[in-house]
């Protein structure tokens, strides 16, 4: 999957495209990772490399 129209984070978080691509690869290997919320919906944490470390260094993603 390509992120051709992703503009969010292009300047503020330069690693976001790479981090999302890695997440998609990880999800293709294990689509049921994260916390199950029901109805085949999962919540996982995406670590954004250029954002830093700790709790503020990532975002939550619903899959």
């Amino acid at each position: 999957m390509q992120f051709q129209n992703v503009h969010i984070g292009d300047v503020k978080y330069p690693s976001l495209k790479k981090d999302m691509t890695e997440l998609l690869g990880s999800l293709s290997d294990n689509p049921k990772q994260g916390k199950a919320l029901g109805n085949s919906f999962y919540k996982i944490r995406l670590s954004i490399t250029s954002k830093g470390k700790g709790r503020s260094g990532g975002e939550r993603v619903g899959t």
Side-chain angles (χ1 to χ4, degrees):
M1 178 177 257
Q2 293 290 326
F3 296 100
Q4 296 173 354
N5 296 323
V6 174
H7 298 289
I8 299 171
D10 282 350
V11 175
K12 192 168 185 179
Y13 304 118
S15 70
L16 186 58
K17 286 183 185 180
K18 179 179 175 276
D19 296 334
M20 287 295 291
T21 302
E22 290 175 2
L23 173 64
L24 288 175
S26 176
L27 286 171
S28 67
D29 293 338
N30 180 13
K32 293 185 177 184
Q33 62 183 301
K35 178 169 176 59
L37 300 177
N39 296 327
S40 298
F41 190 73
Y42 295 85
K43 178 176 70 173
I44 60 174
R45 183 178 183 281
L46 171 65
S47 177
I48 301 174
T49 307
S50 57
K51 198 171 179 183
K53 296 183 180 181
R55 293 180 103 178
S56 61
E59 297 296 330
R60 300 285 182 202
V61 178
T63 62

